[in-house]
Structures are given as structure tokens and as C-alpha cells.
Amino acid sequence: MKEKQTILLKISGEFFKDNETIINNTKLIEIANQIKVLTKTYNIGVVIGGGNIIRGGTSTLKNVARTTADQMGMIATLINSLALRDQLRSMNVKVDLYSLIPIPTIARVYNINEMKNHLANNHVIIFAGGTGNPFFSTDSGIALRALETDAKAILMAKNGVDGVYSADPRKVKNAKRYDKLTYLQALKENLQVMDLTALSLLKDSGVTVQIFNADEDKCFIKALTNKIKSTKMTK
């Protein structure tokens, strides 16, 4: 039997939010359904942001230190990850949740060898807690996990944007859109696609990052079959 390739899915926390709830059940089920379909072909790792709850370093809380705000953001990713884990379990998908912040009564303490064994045995792996350190985003976290798992690709679902632009296309009418670009190009042109640490980690790797609109129905499945508008970033 041919060995499955590993892909990592990056989902923003804001994707789960609506005007009334922090985690919309319909959106949660929709993502879980896509993951279940993809497990037939790929080994799947998932990283979820926490922006639907708090955005860490960009928090506007006046008397909360940056380090504390980032810790709050990391815990927010754990909340979203717990919701996705239980949704997948309810659909009979084998899934393990690892937290880079050690909370052993809630999630598995991160262990690379154990994680890779579960991944190879068709368990969906959810990575919570970013890198486990303040001052680093979930972009850096997923870049590290991609290198550790020898992932073929990172699929990044962005809210309301169908790829990488020279500026926010919702604010700048003539912003240039990229179908393809390199990590070095993104670094040199200061494109806001991933944080600088993540781009630096990936620039010499064989990992492809594909960026597309999270609002598109079945966006991850369509991205993998090139049935959705996207930007591909490589070395």
C-alpha cells in the first residue's frame, strides 16, 4: 500500500465565529466533514488560531502584559481545538489533541515520536497552543510542525481573501494578486501572508503553502484538487 502524504490544515479562529457565538456549530461540523473526507487520502494535521476568542499580542486589554496576552491567545487555540477534537470523535474519526502548553488533564503533552506514530496510523493530529511560547504566532507553530512531520503542504484558509496580495484587497482597490511566489519573495516584499519567523523556517524546505478563501464551500478539498482560486508559495 502506498504511504500517505502528510498535509497540515491552518484554520483561523475567526472562521468559527458568527455574530452570535464564538464557535458556530455548523461551521465546526463543516470543517470536520472535510477532514474526515481527506483522511482517506492524506495524513492530516490541524492548527487552529484563537482569534475568535482573543488575538494574543494584538489584544487591546490595557493592563495585561504582552506575555500574558499571548498566553491567553494560546489557551484560546486550545478551546477551539477541543471543540474540533470532540466533533471529529463524534464522527468516528481517530483523532489526538496535542498541546504545546502542557495541560495533561486536557490534552496530550507534545511528544514528537508519539505524535508521528499516531499520524502514521491514520490519526488526525490537532496541534494546540502555537509554539508553546509567547511572541510567536500559530504561523510559526504550523511551520515547525510541517518540518517535524515532513509535510507535503500547508493549506491556509483565510477569511474573505482568495490568495496573497500586495496589500489588503478589501482596502486597496489595485492591490496586486499573486498566483505563485517564493518564500524569499514574500520576505523581500514584506507580504503579510505569514509571519517572518514562519517564512524563514520554510524558505529552504520542500513544503508548499497554499492560501485560499475559507468562505468557499469545501475549501480544503477544492484547494487540493485545484478547484478553487489560490496562491501557492514555494522555495
Side-chain angles (χ1 to χ4, degrees):
M1 183 182 293
K2 185 179 179 181
E3 185 177 346
K4 290 182 177 180
Q5 293 180 321
T6 296
I7 60 171
L8 302 186
L9 314 184
K10 174 71 159 52
I11 309 167
S12 69
E14 289 91 339
F15 173 81
F16 291 108
K17 189 176 182 179
D18 61 24
N19 293 329
E20 298 178 355
T21 58
I22 292 174
I23 302 176
N24 177 285
N25 194 56
T26 299
K27 292 182 176 182
L28 185 67
I29 292 170
E30 198 275 331
I31 283 293
N33 277 325
Q34 287 194 66
I35 292 171
K36 184 172 183 177
V37 170
L38 292 174
T39 57
K40 297 173 184 177
T41 310
Y42 299 95
N43 293 324
I44 305 292
V46 183
V47 172
I48 310 173
N52 53 324
I53 301 169
I54 186 169
R55 293 196 61 84
T58 60
S59 170
T60 57
L61 298 172
K62 292 182 180 179
N63 296 314
V64 174
R66 166 64 190 271
T67 299
T68 304
D70 281 357
Q71 290 168 338
M72 293 166 68
M74 288 186 278
I75 292 169
T77 71
L78 182 59
I79 292 169
N80 289 333
S81 296
L82 285 164
L84 180 61
R85 182 198 65 183
D86 279 19
Q87 181 59 49
L88 287 166
R89 281 181 175 174
S90 75
M91 298 162 63
N92 298 314
V93 175
K94 293 185 290 184
V95 56
D96 291 293
L97 170 58
Y98 284 90
S99 175
L100 277 294
I101 310 167
I103 311 179
T105 57
I106 295 176
R108 292 181 182 273
V109 177
Y110 190 60
N111 179 294
I112 294 175
N113 292 329
E114 181 185 86
M115 174 274 293
K116 291 178 79 171
N117 182 57
H118 285 149
L119 188 66
N121 283 283
N122 206 38
H123 289 220
V124 172
I125 306 296
I126 303 174
F127 302 99
T131 66
N133 299 288
F135 302 102
F136 292 92
S137 75
T138 50
D139 287 348
S140 296
I142 201 167
L144 287 167
R145 304 295 81 83
L147 297 176
E148 289 173 351
T149 58
D150 298 317
K152 172 190 176 184
I154 295 171
L155 275 63
M156 297 186 68
K158 296 278 190 178
N159 288 341
V161 182
D162 61 3
V164 179
Y165 288 79
S166 58
D168 188 338
R170 293 165 294 190
K171 298 177 181 178
V172 181
K173 183 178 180 181
N174 297 319
K176 177 185 175 182
R177 187 183 181 282
Y178 299 82
D179 290 323
K180 296 180 181 179
L181 73 157
T182 66
Y183 296 116
L184 282 177
Q185 186 179 358
L187 284 164
K188 288 178 180 177
E189 297 184 26
N190 195 30
L191 301 175
Q192 303 299 307
V193 54
M194 299 179 86
D195 69 45
L196 298 179
T197 302
L199 290 171
S200 297
L201 284 167
L202 294 171
K203 69 181 177 65
D204 296 319
S205 75
V207 181
T208 297
V209 177
Q210 189 172 1
I211 304 98
F212 48 89
N213 193 343
D215 297 332
E216 181 86 19
D217 183 49
K218 298 180 180 178
C219 60
F220 289 104
I221 294 171
K222 288 181 178 178
L224 283 165
T225 54
N226 295 311
K227 294 179 180 177
I228 187 175
K229 201 172 183 180
S230 68
T231 299
K232 289 186 179 180
M233 184 164 56
T234 57
K235 69 177 180 180

